[in-house]
Amino acid sequence: MLGDTLNWPWFTDEHRAYAARLMRWAKQNLAHLPHDDVDDACRTRVRLLGEAGFLKAAVPKAYGGLHDTFDVRTLCLSRDILGFHDGLADFAFAMQGLGTGAITLFGSDALKARYLPAIAAGRAIAAFALSEPEAGSDVAALAMTARPEGNDHVRLDGRKTWISNGGIADFYVVFARTGEGPGAKGLSAFVVDADTPGFSIAERIEVIASHPLATLAFDGARVPAENRLGRPGEGFKVAMATLDIFRSTVGAAALGFARRALAETVERAATRKLFGAPLADLQLTQATIADSASEVDAAALLVYRSAWTKDKGAARVTREAAMAKMFATEAAQRVIDRAVQIFGGLGVTKGVKVEELYREIRALRIYEGATEVQKLVIARETLKQHSAKSALAAE
Ligand code: COS
C-alpha cells in the first residue's frame, strides 16, 4: 500500500498531505471517466487535473507551479497514485511534465512565461519530440535538421515518430541536428507551436493501450531562433537532463500499475473459492503474492531513492533513474502477468482491470529509454565509478 510507503523517511509531511489529497481526488474523479475517444479522454483528464491544481507539480512556482523547481518525489507520487487509478490520467499528467521539462530546465524567462502557466492550469497540452524512425534509443543519430533561415529563424525538416500527445498538443519540444559538432555534439532543442506552417501530423498511431500518439512531419517549418532551449549544440544534454528527471517517474507509474495489480490479486485470492477454499489458501497462490509484494516494495525503494537523491541536490541521477525505470517497469510487467494468471479467464477479458493493466504496462518497458538502454547506462556508470581505482580497493 502507498500508505506504508509514505511513512518512509524520505517523505515530508507536505508529501504525505499532497498524496492524501490526490488519492482522495483520484478515487472520486477517475473511476468512471470514459476512454472511448482517446483525444477527448486525454483532453478531459488534462482539464480536470489542471482545475484540481495537480498539474502545478509539473512546473515551477514562478510560472504557476508548486515548488521552486522540480520536486521529483511529488512527480513520482503523482504518477504512482494516478497510475493506480487510471493509466490515461497518469499519461496526461506525465506529458505535461515531460513536454515542458526542457523549457523549465533550459528555457529563457520569456519562453517559460509563454508556455508554462497554461500547462499548470490544464489550458494547454505539451509534447516531447525526440524519437525518429531511425533514431529512438540512439539519440545521437537523429537526422532531423534545423538550419538557419535569415538572422532570427530556423527551418525544421524531418520526421518524428511515436510522439505522445501527437495530434492534440499545443506545442512540441523538438530535437534537431544543428551541426555544431558530430553526433551528440551537434543537436539543439526548439519549442514548436502546433499551428506553425510546415508542421503537420503525418500519421496517427494506434497502440495496444490507447493513447494519443503520432508521427510528425516538418517540411520547412519556420521557428523563431529565440525558441531554442539551451545553447546551440546543447540539445543532447537538454534531452538527457530532462530524461534523468522523468525516467524515475516512469518507474513510479509502473509502480502504481503494479500496486493496483497486487491489490486486485489479493482481493481475488481472498474471495475466489477453489477446491472448497479461498484461492489464497493455496500455497502456490501465496508464493505468487510473496513474489509480487516483494517486487512492489523493491521497485518503490528504487523509485523513491532516485527521486530523493535528485531532490537533495544531486547534479545527475543518471544511474539511479535508470535503475528505477528498468527495475520498476520490468517488475510491474511480472506482477501484472501474475495477476492475470490468478484471475484466469477473467484476466484476459476486456473491461477487467488486470487486462487493462496488462496492455498499459508494456510500453513503459520501451519508451523514455528501453530496458536495454537502461542496462547500458547503469553498466557505464558503474564501470565509471570504479575506473579510477579497483572496485575491491574502494570498498
Ligand atoms: N545528463 C547530462 N549530460 C549527459 C547525460 C546526462 N544524463 N548523459 C550523457 N551526457 C553527456 C555526456 O557526458 C557526453 O558529454 P561529453 O561529450 O562532453 O563527455 C555527451 O552527453 C554524450 O554522451 P554519451 O557519449 O553517453 O552519448 P551516447 O550517444 O553514447 O548516449 C545513450 C547513449 C544510450 C545513453 C543515449 O542515447 C540514451 O539515453 N538513449 C535513450 C534515449 C531515449 O530515452 N529514447 C527514447 C525517446 S524519449 S520517449
Side-chain angles (χ1 to χ4, degrees), residues 98 128 130-131 135-141 162 164 184-185 236-244 247 315-318 366-370 373-374 376-377 380-381 384:
L98 179 65
F128 180 80
L130 181 64
S131 297
S137 293
D138 186 4
V139 176
W162 310 111
S164 295
K185 295 191 190 312
F236 189 88
K237 191 175 138 202
V238 172
M240 291 303 130
T242 308
L243 288 169
D244 272 0
R247 275 180 183 154
R316 275 179 63 171
V317 285
T318 306
I366 299 170
Y367 74 58
E368 284 181 52
V373 167
Q374 309 308 338
L376 203 78
V377 169
R380 274 188 191 184
E381 295 293 321
K384 220 190 288 174

